[in-house]
Amino acid sequence: MNIDTGARKVKRLLLNCDMGESFGNWRMGLDADVMPYIDCANIACGYHAGDPSIMRRTVAMALDHGVTIGAHPAYPDLVGFGRRSMACSNEEIRDLLHYQIGALDGICRVLGGRVAYVKPHGALYNDMMADPIKLRTVLEAVAAYDTGLPVMLMATADDSAAQALGDEIGVPLWFEAFADRAYTASGHLVSRRLPGAVHHDPALVVEQALHLAHGEALVASDGSALRLNASTLCVHGDNDSSVAAVRQIRQALDALERA
């Protein structure tokens, strides 16, 4: 959605956040603090984090705040938090997606909600962005579960191939960008192993969010200009400073829309 501020069009960026990533007695993230400021909650489905009780509490919290619920399925990798690539066949990827989406969707339905989109997590997300066959597998699996259920994936410098695949399969695509990550010239995220990959300064995070909302170019890691056509912005609520950044982004984007 584009909003005309009188001077230039501003994109209405939906803020999405990974949530429900606690497990048993182990607590991760400040979900209750960040939930009031986001539009979409990507809720872990038990394979990289989360468990049935955590899923239920997170779904209930999202519904209380009017936040759209998305399934956040991953490889079966609790120890590695889903950040390790696994040699799963296409059939295994299909099955693990259906298992996790169905589990979260069942809890949603009991509480009066529904899974409204799917955002793969961690290594599964990165693998599908790097491998067109895996991306096709993910999109076909989601379409088989629920025709028309959107899939969230990374906005890059050229989204034409992914968009063509989504159109072919009939899956709506929500392209996302990151306010707190550095980008390569191709529009992929700089590896976390490299210095400067993550922006920790809230002012810099807010500035990048506003550039994306205005449709302005970012500066890639090689100094080149990078334009991303994103409809949603991924934010994080892991600690007090990240929650503060989310709050500032929400306030800045709301002010932009009112201008």
Side-chain angles (χ1 to χ4, degrees):
M1 174 181 176
N2 289 327
I3 299 165
D4 193 343
T5 65
R8 50 182 166 173
K9 291 188 181 298
V10 175
K11 181 168 288 187
R12 172 71 163 90
L13 287 175
L14 299 176
L15 298 187
N16 79 81
C17 186
D18 300 347
M19 310 194 87
E21 293 182 326
S22 299
F23 182 78
N25 290 328
W26 182 70
R27 292 292 180 263
M28 179 174 178
L30 300 174
D31 290 0
D33 295 323
V34 77
M35 191 71 82
Y37 302 107
I38 64 172
D39 302 291
C40 303
N42 319 315
I43 299 180
C45 303
Y47 267 29
H48 76 282
D51 59 43
S53 296
I54 297 295
M55 291 161 68
R56 177 185 287 269
R57 287 200 291 270
T58 310
V59 166
M61 191 188 311
L63 292 175
D64 285 344
H65 286 85
V67 171
T68 301
I69 295 169
H72 202 34
Y75 287 129
D77 180 27
L78 275 174
V79 173
F81 198 65
R83 289 179 174 165
R84 301 180 295 187
S85 186
M86 301 182 72
C88 294
S89 67
N90 292 336
E91 290 75 17
E92 288 171 322
I93 291 174
R94 175 201 63 200
D95 294 343
L96 66 84
L97 285 169
H98 288 167
Y99 185 90
Q100 293 176 82
I101 297 168
L104 184 65
D105 199 30
I107 291 174
C108 286
R109 289 176 184 274
V110 167
L111 296 178
R114 61 181 289 267
V115 167
Y117 66 93
V118 177
K119 177 186 173 180
H121 166 81
L124 179 57
Y125 183 97
N126 292 332
D127 287 352
M128 77 175 190
M129 292 303 304
D131 184 346
I133 295 177
K134 281 189 171 62
L135 179 57
R136 174 179 287 275
T137 298
V138 169
L139 296 183
E140 288 180 342
V142 172
Y145 182 85
D146 184 349
T147 302
L149 194 63
V151 172
M152 195 178 290
L153 71 167
M154 190 186 303
T156 65
D158 183 1
D159 300 320
S160 58
Q163 187 61 66
L165 188 57
D167 292 343
E168 175 194 335
I169 298 170
V171 175
L173 302 181
W174 292 359
F175 289 101
E176 74 166 340
F178 295 77
D180 62 350
R181 294 295 302 273
Y183 281 91
T184 67
S186 64
H188 292 85
L189 299 179
V190 172
S191 170
R192 289 180 179 268
R193 300 185 184 92
L194 299 176
V198 180
H199 303 321
H200 297 289
D201 181 354
L204 182 58
V205 173
V206 173
E207 180 183 7
Q208 184 154 307
L210 290 176
H211 281 310
L212 290 164
H214 280 300
E216 297 169 347
L218 306 181
V219 179
S221 57
D222 66 352
S224 63
L226 171 67
R227 291 190 181 276
L228 299 174
N229 184 24
S231 58
T232 181
L233 189 67
C234 184
V235 295
H236 296 96
D238 302 321
N239 53 62
D240 289 338
S241 63
S242 62
V243 173
V246 174
R247 186 186 306 114
Q248 291 177 43
I249 290 173
R250 175 86 282 160
Q251 292 169 348
L253 293 181
D254 288 349
L256 205 60
E257 292 176 21
R258 292 192 299 267

